[in-house]
Amino acid sequence: MARTVRPTDYGTPDVLEVADTPVPTPSADGVVVKVRAAGVNPIDWKLYSGQFHAVADKHKNATGLAESLPKLGLECAGVVTAVGADVTGIEVGAEVIVYPVAGAYADYVTAPATSLIPKPADLDWPEAGSLMLAGLTAAHTLHAAGVGRGDTVLVHGAAGGVGLLVTQLAAASGARVIGTAAERNHDLLREFGATPVRYGDGLLERVRTAAPDGITAAIDCVGTDEALDTSLALVPDPQRIASIAGTPRRAAAGIKVLGNGPGQDAGAEFRDSVRADLAARAGKGELRVLIDTTYPLTEAAAAHRAGIAGHAPGKLVLLP
Ligand SMILES: NC(=O)c1ccc[n+]([C@@H]2O[C@H](COP(=O)([O-])OP(=O)(O)OC[C@H]3O[C@@H](n4cnc5c(N)ncnc54)[C@H](OP(=O)(O)O)[C@@H]3O)[C@@H](O)[C@H]2O)c1
């Protein structure tokens, strides 16, 4: 038997249970992976919170979910334990990063062979298991906003799971990064190459002081009115503002809204095209996945409560 974390109903993390489930077998074009680390992402608790009921069908298609209660865990890293009859080029024992997948909050997960890429040898399991969802999102934001050398980019929520990767990728592209965060995360942002600014009342003026020559692009990893209004006030071209937090105001603001929601740009092709590069950069230490806390599988609910609190610098990870 294997353990699987699953919701028993829609609601708070109190609805999560650890169930005994059979060790899965692979489909003809799939594999089974023994999960060593599963990344925790806000989408995980949003999926069983009930907030997606209105867009349920679209969302189920996007995440491969077939049942009314979602399978949790959209990314992981682990070791291949079984390979389907039609799969070539993947061996039992291979260490892999798996994304996208559904149900990685488990000892074992089935995945399409196309979701696997080799895990770089020098990347530890927690980092490998939590790199892809945030990292591909981060790369997509910078691509959508056209950020590169010569830009000064404002990153809202720069110390979060996605924000720290946006910060590093933007800095590596030659852009100057102004990042918003709570004051306790300012040294961390400096370490990652950003000029930190406290969010809250007076943000607009603080950013103007930090970037007297102006802001050319903005990445919103937060979703507040303040982040939107500050970005619109500072960035001359709204098409150079990219948000990963879909809100009705953002949809109407003429900015780029990225994600799987209605009318948003999922960027599937772009995200897929940068998977290998992202893994290679993390493996070489050029890109750092900051792990805030790891939890045993049985403490998934505690991980979700920490995530919902919304101030963990870096990633939360489950270690089955
Ligand atoms: N559309 C997509 O494709 C996509 C993909 C991934 C994630 N997302 C969404 O993007 C959001 C961020 O995800 P994440 O994984 O980075 O979450 P996270 O790791 O929980 O980070 C959230 C960050 O927001 C900051 N924050 C909290 N309140 C703030 C405020 N009022 N103003 C400015 N910053 C604030 C926190 O920083 P401090 O601790 O410094 O306060 C925290 O570091 C979530 O809503 C998630 O669902 C969307």
Side-chain angles (χ1 to χ4, degrees), residues 60-108:
K60 280 177 200 164
N61 291 339
T63 56
L65 302 175
E67 300 140 9
S68 57
L69 280 168
K71 290 182 176 175
L72 297 184
L74 301 181
E75 64 175 336
C76 67
V79 180
V80 175
T81 57
V83 177
D86 296 345
V87 174
T88 54
I90 298 174
E91 306 291 340
V92 168
E95 297 187 347
V96 293
I97 292 175
V98 191
Y99 179 81
V101 67
Y105 282 19
D107 289 317
Y108 294 88

Side-chain angles (χ1 to χ4, degrees), residues 4-10 16-17 21-22 24-25 27 38-39 41-49 52 59-60 62-75 100-106 108-112 133 304 318:
T4 298
V5 174
R6 62 189 186 192
T8 54
D9 198 354
Y10 288 99
L16 297 184
E17 69 167 11
T21 50
T25 52
S27 61
N41 293 286
I43 185 73
D44 299 344
W45 55 83
K46 290 179 183 179
L47 279 174
Y48 67 84
S49 70
F52 288 132
H59 208 85
K60 280 177 200 164
T63 56
L65 302 175
E67 300 140 9
S68 57
L69 280 168
K71 290 182 176 175
L72 297 184
L74 301 181
E75 64 175 336
V101 67
Y105 282 19
Y108 294 88
V109 67
T110 55
L133 196 151
H304 280 200
L318 299 181

Side-chain angles (χ1 to χ4, degrees), residues 41-43 46 133 137 157 159-163 180-182 184-185 199 221-222 224 226 244 258-259 271 307 310-312 314-315:
N41 293 286
I43 185 73
K46 290 179 183 179
L133 196 151
T137 303
V162 178
T180 77
R184 68 180 179 289
N185 289 326
Y199 56 79
C221 304
V222 173
T224 56
E226 174 187 72
I244 57 169
L258 313 181
R271 293 186 190 208
H311 296 285
K315 296 297 301 175

Side-chain angles (χ1 to χ4, degrees), residues 90-265:
I90 298 174
E91 306 291 340
V92 168
E95 297 187 347
V96 293
I97 292 175
V98 191
Y99 179 81
V101 67
Y105 282 19
D107 289 317
Y108 294 88
V109 67
T110 55
T114 51
S115 288
L116 270 56
I117 59 170
K119 181 184 87 66
D122 289 338
L123 195 59
D124 290 339
W125 289 113
E127 286 80 359
S130 60
L131 165 67
M132 279 296 152
L133 196 151
L136 297 180
T137 303
H140 187 197
T141 63
L142 295 168
H143 176 70
V147 174
R149 185 164 301 283
D151 277 316
T152 301
V153 58
L154 174 61
V155 181
H156 298 279
V162 178
L164 271 178
L165 291 162
V166 173
T167 295
Q168 293 175 72
L169 291 171
S173 78
R176 178 171 183 231
V177 181
I178 312 290
T180 77
E183 217 148 307
R184 68 180 179 289
N185 289 326
H186 283 195
D187 282 345
L188 178 73
L189 287 192
R190 284 188 199 97
E191 197 185 313
F192 280 88
T195 300
V197 172
R198 182 170 52 81
Y199 56 79
D201 283 351
L203 174 64
L204 182 61
E205 284 316 313
R206 285 193 292 281
V207 177
R208 281 194 173 123
T209 302
D213 295 334
I215 297 288
T216 54
I219 309 299
D220 165 32
C221 304
V222 173
T224 56
D225 282 347
E226 174 187 72
L228 177 62
D229 293 335
T230 307
S231 301
L232 289 170
L234 291 171
V235 179
D237 176 0
Q239 284 289 294
R240 300 206 65 203
I241 302 170
S243 176
I244 57 169
T247 62
R249 277 197 66 212
R250 280 164 175 75
I255 68 169
K256 294 197 170 160
V257 184
L258 313 181
N260 285 311
Q264 299 176 3
D265 171 16

